[in-house]
């Protein structure tokens, strides 16, 4: 089962690499933010898989912190875009 967890973690890391392309090429700020959310969600999943595969419960705590930070980053992005929309600027 440990090999399956590690293989899934490797696959998720490949998804992060593809998301990096979207961040670099994304036509809009929203596309970039969705890719950044992908990083947060996938990073949490990778940490949870590694915690299970390596029997390291501390990684679950790190994953929880990453999940909270991803939510805060999303809220900050939405506030930034909303304030720019109120001022009449483009995101």
């Amino acid at each position: 089962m440990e090999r399956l967890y590690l293989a899934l973690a490797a696959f998720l890391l490949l998804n992060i690499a593809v998301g990096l392309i979207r961040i670099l090429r994304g036509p809009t700020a929203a596309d970039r933010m969705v890719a950044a959310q992908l990083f947060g969600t996938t990073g949490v999943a990778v940490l949870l898989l590694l915690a299970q595969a390596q029997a390291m419960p501390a990684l679950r705590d790190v994953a929880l912190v990453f999940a909270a930070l991803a939510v805060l980053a999303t809220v900050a992005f939405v506030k930034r875009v909303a304030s720019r929309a109120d001022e009449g600027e483009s995101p």
Side-chain angles (χ1 to χ4, degrees), residues 1 4 7-8 16 18 27-28 30 45 47 50 62 71-72 74 77-80 83 85 87:
M1 196 63 147
L4 176 64
L8 289 172
I16 288 178
V18 171
T28 66
L47 285 170
L50 290 176
V62 175
V71 169
L72 292 176
T74 302
F77 173 76
V78 170
K79 282 189 173 191
R80 178 177 173 243
S83 69
E87 294 172 3

Side-chain angles (χ1 to χ4, degrees), residues 25-82:
R25 295 182 52 199
T28 66
D31 289 329
R32 290 183 173 100
M33 188 58 213
V34 169
Q37 285 178 321
L38 170 77
F39 284 5
T41 305
T42 306
V44 168
V46 168
L47 285 170
L48 290 173
L49 286 168
L50 290 176
Q52 189 65 30
Q54 302 297 322
M56 296 179 66
L59 287 178
R60 290 187 186 105
D61 296 334
V62 175
L64 182 62
V65 171
F66 275 13
L69 289 175
V71 169
L72 292 176
T74 302
V75 169
F77 173 76
V78 170
K79 282 189 173 191
R80 178 177 173 243
V81 169

